[in-house]
C-alpha cells in the first residue's frame, strides 16, 4: 500500500515513521522548505532555537517515549521552571501554593479561594462535567468575579481575545491538570523538559528514522488539490508542471481550513464541521540580547497596557552558556488574524514592543538587543468551545481512504507536540487496520 502524508510537522513525521516501520510505502510532502511545522527550529548563536518557545511537561509521555526511541534520551533534560506574574509594574513569583498566597493583586481571601479552586481542579479526573459550561461561568461562580477577572480571566482574555467567554471549562481544567502532573508534590517546584539540541533535533531524528525505514520526504512541495480516483485511491495535483501522484490512502495533517481548500469533494456536512472549528493565531517576537531582561522563565503579563501577553525568557530555562552567552526572550501574543499586529511589519513590531520592555526591567536599553525576529502562525491554538466532543470531526473523512489528523482533533487535552506524536501513532494504527480489514470506502466515521 502506498500511503501519502501531507504536512511535515510532528504529527506527519510521526505518521510517516510509523507507516514505514509497518512496512508500507510512504511519501510525505511538506509545503514549506523546512520540517517541524509549529515546532520548527532555526540556527542562532552556537545552537538552534524554536520559532515559538517550546517545553515539555512530565505528563508528555508519548513524545518522551519517542525521544528515547530515537536515541535522544540523553539530550532530554528536565529543568526547573520559574513562573512569574507581572502586574502593577512588578514581577511576582508564581511557582506554587505559597507564592499564590502572597500574590497581592487580589485580597487575601480571594487568594485562598483561587488556591482552593486550583487544588480542587488538580484532583478532578472526570472532565466530562466541564464540557457544557464555560470557563468564565464556572470559575466566576467558584472563586468570585474579582478574583476571576484579576487572574484566570485576564489569562483567558490574553490567550483567546474575543473568544475568551466561549472557552469551555474542560480546556482550563486540562491546563491545570497538565501543570499538576509536572510537579511531584504541591510544594516542590515544577520541572519542564527540553531536548538540548532544540525540538529541531527531535524532528530531524524523526525524519531521518522515517527515511531509514524507507519513507520518502519532500520539502518545498505540497499538493494544490486532492481528488478521489477511479482506482479507489487519491490523486494529488501539485501544479507548476509537477506530475500528479496517486496514492492508495492519504493522511492530511494541515490545519482544517487548508484541508477544506485542498479537498473540493468533501461533503457539505463534513466541510461545515471542520470549518466551524476555529483557531487563535499567534505572533511571537524573539529578541537576542547581550544580557538578561529578567530572572524569570515564563512571565504572564496581567497588565493590558502592554502589547504582548507573555514574556518567555528561554535562557532562564536553558542557560545562556548553551548559546555562546547570548540571551533569548520571546514576546508572545495570541490574536485573531484580523488584528493589525498579525500583519504588521516585523521591524515596526519589534520597535513598538521594545518601548515597553523597561516596564519589566527599568534598566533595559534597546542597545542590549543584538538580533530579532518575528514569527507568525495562523492555526496556533484551536478554540475549544462548549460540547466540543460532539463537534469533533472524525479522522476518516467522507472521501474513501482520505484521513484528517490535525490539532483541532486533540481533545480533551490542549494541543502540543506530545499530542501530535499521539495523533501520528493513532492515525497510523487506524490506516493500517483499515487496510488489513479492507474497510469499504466511505463507510467510516464521517461525522
Ligand atoms: C506559540 C506556540 C507555542 C507552543 N508551545 C508549545 C510547547 O511549549 N510545547 C509543546 O509541546 N507544544 C507547543 N506548541 C504546539 C506544538 O508546536 C504544536 O501543537 C505541534 O507542533 C503541531 O504539530 P502538527 O504536526 O500537528 O501540526 P503543524 O505543526 O501545524 O504541521 C502541519 C504542517 O503542514 C504543512 N502544510 C500546510 N499546508 C500544506 C500543504 N498544502 N502541503 C504540504 N504541507 C502543508 C505546514 O507547513 C506544517 O509544517 C506551541 C505552538 C505555538 C504556536
Amino acid at each position: 500500500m502506498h500511503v501519502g502524508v501531507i504536512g511535515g510537522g510532528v504529527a506527519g513525521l510521526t505518521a510517516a515513521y510509523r507507516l514505514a516501520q509497518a512496512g508500507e510505502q510512504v511519501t510525505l510532502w511538506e509545503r514549506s522548505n523546512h520540517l517541524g511545522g509549529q515546532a520548527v527550529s532555526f540556527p542562532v548563536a552556537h545552537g538552534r532555537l524554536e520559532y515559538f518557545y517550546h517545553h515539555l511537561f512530565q505528563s508528555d509521555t508519548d513524545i518522551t517515549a519517542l525521544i528515547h526511541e530515537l536515541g535522544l534520551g540523553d539530550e532530554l533534560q528536565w529543568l526547573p521552571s520559574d513562573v512569574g506574574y507581572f502586574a502593577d509594574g512588578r514581577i511576582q513569583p508564581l511557582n506554587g501554593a505559597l507564592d499564590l498566597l502572597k500574590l497581592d493583586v487580589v485580597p487575601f481571601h480571594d487568594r485562598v479561594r483561587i488556591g482552593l479552586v486550583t487544588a480542587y481542579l488538580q484532583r478532578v479526573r472526570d472532565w466530562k462535567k466541564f464540557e457544557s459550561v464555560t470557563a468564565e461561568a464556572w470559575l466566576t461562580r467558584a472563586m468570585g468575579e474579582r478574583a476571576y477577572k484579576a487572574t484566570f480571566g485576564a489569562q483567558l482574555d490574553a490567550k483567546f481575545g474575543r473568544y475568551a467567554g466561549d472557552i469551555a471549562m474542560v480546556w482550563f481544567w486540562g491546563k491545570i491538570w497538565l501543570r499538576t502532573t509536572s510537579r511531584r508534590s504541591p510544594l516542590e517546584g515544577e520541572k519542564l523538559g527540553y531536548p538540548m539540541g532544540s525540538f529541531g533535533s527531535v524532528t530531524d531524528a524523526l525524519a531521518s528514522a522515517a527515511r531509514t525505514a524507507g519513507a520518502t520526504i519532500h520539502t518545498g512541495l505540497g499538493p494544490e488539490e486532492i481528488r478521489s480516483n477511479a482506482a479507489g485511491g487519491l490523486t494529488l495535483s501539485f501544479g507548476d508542471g509537477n506530475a500528479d501522484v496517486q496514492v492508495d490512502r492519504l493522511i492530511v495533517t494541515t490545519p482544517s481550513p487548508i484541508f477544506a481548500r485542498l479537498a473540493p469533494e468533501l461533503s457539505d456536512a463534513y466541510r461545515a464541521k471542520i470549518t466551524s472549528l476555529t483557531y487563535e493565531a499567534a505572533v511571537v517576537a524573539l529578541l537576542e540580547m547581550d544580557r538578561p531582561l529578567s530572572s524569570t522563565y515564563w512571565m504572564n503579563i496581567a497588565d493590558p497596557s502592554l502589547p504582548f501577553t507573555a514574556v518567555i525568557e528561554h535562557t532562564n530555562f536553558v542557560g545562556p552558556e548553551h548559546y555562546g552567552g547570548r540571551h533569548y526572550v520571546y514576546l508572545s501574543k495570541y490574536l485573531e488574524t484580523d488584528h493589525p499586529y498579525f500583519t504588521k511589519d516585523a521591524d515596526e513590531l519589534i520597535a513598538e514592543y521594545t518601548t515597553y520592555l523597561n516596564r519589566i526591567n527599568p534598566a533595559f536599553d534597546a542597545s542590549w538587543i543584538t538580533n530579532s525576529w518575528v514569527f507568525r502562525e495562523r492555526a496556533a491554538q484551536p478554540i475549544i468551545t462548549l460540547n466540543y466532543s460532539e463537534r469533533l470531526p472524525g479522522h476518516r473523512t467522507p472521501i474513501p481512504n482520505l484521513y484528517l489528523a490535525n490539532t483541532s482533533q486533540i481533545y480533551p487535552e490542549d494541543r502540543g507536540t506530545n499530542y501530535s506524536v499521539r495523533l501520528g501513532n493513532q492515525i497510523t494504527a487506524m490506516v493500517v487496520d483499515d487496510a488489513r480489514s479492507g474497510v469499504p470506502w466511505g463507510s467510516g466515521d464521517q461525522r
Side-chain angles (χ1 to χ4, degrees), residues 305-358:
S305 69
L306 267 66
F308 38 82
T309 51
V311 176
I312 297 122
E313 194 156 346
H314 177 80
T315 34
N316 289 336
F317 173 47
V318 179
E321 65 277 14
H322 297 282
Y323 305 96
R326 298 284 161 180
H327 297 256
Y328 290 93
V329 182
Y330 293 94
L331 306 174
S332 169
K333 183 173 179 64
Y334 285 88
L335 36 60
E336 290 83 49
T337 49
D338 58 6
H339 190 289
Y341 284 175
F342 193 67
T343 42
K344 202 176 177 81
D345 173 78
D347 290 340
E348 284 176 28
L349 192 77
I350 298 280
E352 181 173 341
Y353 275 11
T354 47
T355 60
Y356 290 88
L357 291 181
N358 52 14

Side-chain angles (χ1 to χ4, degrees), residues 6-7 9-11 29-31 37-38 53-55 222-223 254 416-417 420:
I6 307 299
V10 174
W29 290 272
E30 163 56 50
R31 185 179 57 179
Q38 293 182 24
Y53 44 92
H54 268 71
H55 58 236
T254 72
T417 52
S420 291

Side-chain angles (χ1 to χ4, degrees), residues 9 18 69 84 87 134 136 160 184 256 266 294 300 343 357 412 434:
R18 296 297 181 210
E69 181 183 331
T134 64
E136 182 179 49
F160 291 105
R184 291 208 181 80
S256 296
L266 286 174
S294 76
N300 290 312
T343 42
L357 291 181
D434 284 359

Side-chain angles (χ1 to χ4, degrees), residues 6-13 29-32 34-39 52-57 60 63 199 221-224 253-255 258 262 282 284 297-298 332 334 377 379-381 405-407 410 415-418 420 423:
I6 307 299
V10 174
L13 287 171
W29 290 272
E30 163 56 50
R31 185 179 57 179
S32 71
H34 48 248
L35 296 169
Q38 293 182 24
F52 306 107
Y53 44 92
H54 268 71
H55 58 236
L56 296 178
F57 294 109
D60 288 340
I63 192 165
F199 278 69
L221 186 64
E224 290 178 354
T253 67
T254 72
I258 297 179
L262 285 175
V284 171
Y297 165 52
W298 187 285
S332 169
Y334 285 88
E377 169 60 43
Q381 170 70 57
N406 72 22
T407 59
I410 293 166
R415 60 79 170 119
T417 52
N418 183 64
S420 291
L423 205 56

